[in-house]
Amino acid sequence: MARPLIHKTSQAKIVAAREKRARYYAKDIILKRRRELRSSRSKEACAEATQSKEICKALAKALRVSDTDSESDDESDDSSDENENKLYDLPECLLVIKNIKDDMLKMIGNDPCAFAQGILQVYVQSLTVDDCSTSGDISIIESAMAKVQKPLDDTIHAQDQILNFCGISPEWHAADSVVRFLKTVLAYLEDLLCLAVYEGVCGLTEAHALGELMYQKGVRI
């Protein structure tokens, strides 16, 4: 067993006690931050899992209802069936939402801020000269926006149809969460594009340095 430190003066004892308390509180702060970080990540994972389960449950429920309706409507005339097929039914809407959500998570991930930052980094790499008068490849940002805009339009259309079928319901809220996620990503990209086009590289760099970009502030729609 190591011998305890022996402080010969009262001043040395006070200094040692202060150092001990400082180490204790520093360790306590680090542990507290780690607990908060684990808790936040756990909540995000649970929210994501809950949202996926809600969509799947709603889809399964709608499919059961659709099967029942199709059995009762077997004797309807051909013209009526043709008109109904021109519109989404509830299972189709929910399937569209689920497929878009899965595709966007593969492309964007769970963090739209990280996605926007990645697009910005690719755009910065397109700058060939370290000069404020030089503009990068704007199509990098525009291409990313196009990849988000199309599924956003499809999701909004499906959400509108869900509203017609069952109103403000769990199915509608599930679709709305996907719409808001995609709108947030699109807003981050539009912010980058506007600064790059109208303010130039210097304006974009200044906004980034000051932490004024939308994705840096974590703004959510």
Side-chain angles (χ1 to χ4, degrees):
M1 181 181 295
R3 293 183 57 188
L5 295 175
I6 299 176
H7 305 286
K8 297 181 179 180
T9 64
S10 59
Q11 183 64 27
K13 291 181 180 180
I14 293 173
V15 172
R18 287 176 178 172
E19 292 177 352
K20 184 177 180 180
R21 286 195 298 271
R23 289 194 298 270
Y24 172 81
Y25 287 117
K27 181 179 179 181
D28 184 64
I29 292 172
I30 292 172
L31 293 175
K32 182 179 179 181
R33 289 177 178 174
R34 288 179 179 175
R35 287 193 297 268
E36 291 176 349
L37 181 60
R38 285 196 298 267
S39 177
S40 63
R41 288 179 177 175
S42 177
K43 288 180 180 178
E44 290 177 358
C46 290
E48 181 65 27
T50 300
Q51 185 185 98
S52 297
K53 288 181 180 178
E54 288 179 353
I55 294 178
C56 291
K57 286 180 180 178
L59 179 58
K61 179 181 177 182
L63 287 171
R64 288 196 296 270
V65 173
S66 177
D67 290 341
T68 303
D69 291 341
S70 62
E71 290 176 1
S72 62
D73 294 338
D74 284 341
E75 297 180 358
S76 60
D77 58 5
D78 295 337
S79 60
S80 176
D81 290 339
E82 184 179 355
N83 290 332
E84 289 180 359
N85 289 333
K86 293 180 180 179
L87 300 174
Y88 280 117
D89 58 21
L90 184 57
E92 287 175 335
C93 292
L94 293 172
L95 187 59
V96 166
I97 297 297
K98 182 181 183 302
N99 290 338
I100 291 175
K101 177 176 177 293
D102 292 342
D103 292 341
M104 289 299 96
L105 286 178
K106 290 178 181 178
M107 183 179 77
I108 299 172
N110 293 317
D111 188 358
C113 297
F115 176 75
Q117 183 175 0
I119 297 299
L120 177 59
Q121 290 174 346
V122 175
Y123 170 72
V124 170
Q125 291 173 0
S126 71
L127 299 173
T128 56
V129 180
D130 187 13
D131 185 356
C132 290
S133 63
T134 303
S135 60
D137 186 359
I138 301 296
S139 66
I140 293 173
I141 305 176
E142 293 175 335
S143 177
M145 290 176 61
K147 291 180 180 179
V148 177
Q149 185 66 61
K150 177 59 169 62
L152 174 59
D153 293 340
D154 293 341
T155 305
I156 291 175
H157 179 63
Q159 184 188 22
D160 290 341
Q161 295 299 324
I162 292 173
L163 181 64
N164 294 333
F165 286 122
C166 49
I168 304 298
S169 58
E171 293 87 348
W172 185 89
H173 283 293
D176 188 57
S177 65
V178 179
V179 169
R180 287 186 288 107
F181 178 84
L182 295 176
K183 282 185 175 180
T184 297
V185 176
L186 191 60
Y188 290 169
L189 298 177
E190 287 178 345
D191 183 44
L192 297 178
L193 182 63
C194 288
L195 282 169
V197 172
Y198 297 107
E199 299 293 334
V201 176
C202 288
L204 182 59
T205 303
E206 182 180 358
H208 181 271
L210 296 174
E212 294 181 348
L213 298 176
M214 286 186 67
Y215 84 83
Q216 290 178 304
K217 296 179 179 179
V219 177
R220 298 298 177 101
I221 296 177

